[in-house]
Amino acid sequence: MRRAVVASVSGLPRQFWWLWTSTLINRLGAFVATFLALYLTVERGYSASYAGLVGALYGLGGAVSSVVAGVLTDRLGRRPTMLIAQLMTAVSVALLGFMENPVAIAAVAAVVGMASNGSRPAVAAMMADIVAPEDRVRAFALNYWALNMGFAISSSLAGLLAQYGYLLLFLGESALVLACAVVVFVKLPESRPEEGEKTAADSTAEESGRRVSMMTVLRDGRFMVVVGLNLMLALLFQQAYVSLPVTMGQAGFSSTDFGLVIATNGVLIVLLQIPVTRFIEHRSPAALLIGSALLTGYGFGLTAFAGSVALFAVSVAVWTLGEIINSPTQMGLVVRLSPTHGRGRYQGMYSLSWSVASLAAPLLGGAVIDHYGPATLWSASAVIGTVAALGYGLLLRRMNAEERAQAAPPTPVTDAAAAVPRTDSVA
């Protein structure tokens, strides 16, 4: 285990570790999103419908900022985009804690959602800039590990702080986000390459003269297929925080039971992310993405047969393994398909799929449970995982065939063929 840990963290540039540290600090302060619904219903006395509306506006802000921040990441740079997003987050989160009017609370919550999601494309683009291609899966896995470690700690800490007043949650998150901005400002230089320049981490030639816009991203068929497949899996992952507690509640289980079950997810990610990444780092992305989709789909599908806390925890363990494999592998595929000078936009579109899932999953999950029952939802999850696995298999098979064709040596020209004059144009 010690050798595996050393091998997993060695060889990465110092700039990556400062970026990793900023991610951990930022996630340690992720109090508000986790406890926003409880704050509105318990502390403020608003209805569950109003809390749902505020949560939807928070998610809508994140969806908008995914695209906007992606464009800013390419135009302004990775570092300025992160600093703008983090400073906006610190100010808006602190302001939200003092809001009294329900309209003002909803409006500021939308700004918080927009600001807190705004640094994601920039972080991912900078990571791709500074880490060598062969180390990117490992780097994204370590970053994902930091996200989950920070979330696990912040969730526990937030519960303690809330006992002394919810305002501490808002001010505490604001302070930690400011600390994150300080790390970015002091320790992270800009990594965006100039037009026509290739980053030190890139190993292949780049089409230097091509401009990249959001329309370029939308017309990139292969990448949009990846976004669509990720949206399918993201809709499943979001059910863990929406439909799973509803299903357990209808089956007579308590909120404490749900807390124990969902804690399985965070504990397994913290314990297994590094050793599993060490195992999968240099394996076929196709096999990994197919396997992760099947584990995710059938893990959620097992929920239909769960009748005890232990069986619910087993289903969570299965789809958590799929999540552990999918996250770094999928991020590596996104970077592989992204041109250097369009990484921000590509990452923004990828991040948008998660934001759309966070908006759509509660509506879809709730509608299916209300009209057809929980068993139908979880059975459909297995079908969705299977479809996603087939999609990854077909996409990566095609990509590999195209890359082999491009790498093949040109066919030698025979003397007879060389003697025939060409009539086609160079264009």
Side-chain angles (χ1 to χ4, degrees):
M1 176 64 73
R2 184 174 61 85
R3 287 197 300 269
V5 171
V6 171
S8 296
V9 302
S10 62
L12 295 170
R14 179 178 298 179
Q15 190 176 353
F16 164 80
W17 289 111
W18 283 116
L19 186 61
W20 183 90
T21 301
S22 71
T23 297
L24 180 61
I25 295 172
N26 197 7
R27 197 60 172 170
L28 285 171
F31 303 139
V32 172
T34 306
F35 284 81
L36 184 59
L38 284 175
Y39 166 73
L40 293 173
T41 55
V42 176
E43 181 76 4
R44 293 291 189 180
Y46 292 113
S47 66
S49 298
Y50 175 76
L53 172 64
V54 172
L57 290 173
Y58 181 95
L60 180 62
V64 171
S65 72
S66 296
V67 177
V68 174
V71 174
L72 292 178
T73 296
D74 288 335
R75 288 189 175 181
L76 293 182
R78 286 62 159 137
R79 185 171 178 262
T81 303
M82 281 191 280
L83 289 172
I84 291 171
Q86 289 158 2
L87 292 175
M88 282 184 60
T89 302
V91 172
S92 59
V93 164
L95 185 63
L96 183 60
F98 293 98
M99 291 293 100
E100 300 284 347
N101 184 278
V103 176
I105 290 174
V108 176
V111 176
V112 172
M114 184 181 300
S116 60
N117 196 58
S119 61
R120 290 183 181 180
V123 170
M126 178 176 281
M127 201 169 297
D129 293 339
I130 63 180
V131 177
E134 63 271 17
D135 293 327
R136 281 175 183 157
V137 169
R138 180 160 55 104
F140 283 120
L142 288 168
N143 191 66
Y144 192 68
W145 184 80
L147 285 170
N148 282 277
M149 173 69 81
F151 176 74
I153 296 173
S154 69
S155 298
S156 303
L157 184 59
L160 296 175
L161 290 176
Q163 297 178 2
Y164 301 97
Y166 279 89
L167 182 59
L168 286 176
L169 298 183
F170 294 94
L171 298 180
E173 176 165 346
S174 179
L176 284 171
V177 173
L178 281 176
C180 177
V182 170
V183 171
V184 172
F185 182 77
V186 175
K187 293 294 184 179
L188 287 176
E190 178 57 55
S191 66
R192 182 188 62 167
E194 299 296 330
E195 289 294 334
E197 177 188 353
K198 187 175 67 173
T199 63
D202 287 320
S203 58
T204 58
E206 182 73 35
E207 61 276 29
S208 59
R210 197 184 79 172
R211 292 179 60 86
V212 178
S213 66
M214 289 307 300
M215 288 304 300
T216 306
V217 181
L218 292 172
R219 287 195 295 261
D220 190 335
R222 293 187 306 177
F223 179 75
M224 292 308 297
V225 169
V226 172
V227 171
L229 294 172
N230 183 71
L231 175 60
M232 294 172 66
L233 294 183
L235 286 170
L236 296 185
F237 288 127
Q238 291 296 323
Q239 299 305 324
Y241 308 99
V242 181
S243 299
L244 180 58
V246 171
T247 298
M248 292 186 67
Q250 290 182 354
F253 293 95
S254 67
S255 58
T256 302
D257 294 329
F258 170 70
L260 291 173
V261 168
I262 202 62
T264 305
N265 174 253
V267 170
L268 288 179
I269 289 176
V270 170
L271 293 178
L272 297 182
Q273 186 71 70
I274 292 179
V276 169
T277 301
R278 182 66 181 163
F279 177 75
I280 69 174
E281 187 175 0
H282 299 295
R283 297 181 184 273
S284 165
L288 295 173
L289 289 171
I290 291 171
S292 67
L294 292 174
L295 286 168
T296 301
Y298 286 98
F300 279 101
L302 286 174
T303 308
F305 304 97
S308 66
V309 171
L311 289 178
F312 276 112
V314 169
S315 70
V316 171
V318 174
W319 61 255
T320 296
L321 185 58
E323 182 182 3
I324 289 171
I325 296 172
N326 180 270
S327 179
T329 310
Q330 178 107 287
M331 288 297 294
L333 179 60
V334 169
V335 174
R336 176 180 169 186
L337 293 174
S338 307
T340 299
H341 298 286
R343 279 176 180 157
R345 290 175 172 87
Y346 274 71
Q347 290 291 344
M349 183 60 67
Y350 174 72
S351 180
L352 178 62
S353 65
W354 285 100
S355 298
V356 170
S358 69
L359 283 171
L363 301 176
L364 293 175
V368 172
I369 289 176
D370 286 342
H371 291 90
Y372 305 103
T376 301
L377 175 66
W378 304 119
S379 300
S381 298
V383 175
I384 292 173
T386 303
V387 172
L390 290 173
Y392 280 122
L394 292 173
L395 173 66
L396 288 161
R397 181 180 179 182
R398 179 180 176 184
M399 286 176 56
N400 291 335
E402 291 175 353
E403 290 177 357
R404 284 195 298 269
Q406 292 175 358
T411 304
V413 180
T414 62
D415 294 340
V420 178
R422 294 186 59 181
T423 59
D424 56 326
S425 66
V426 177

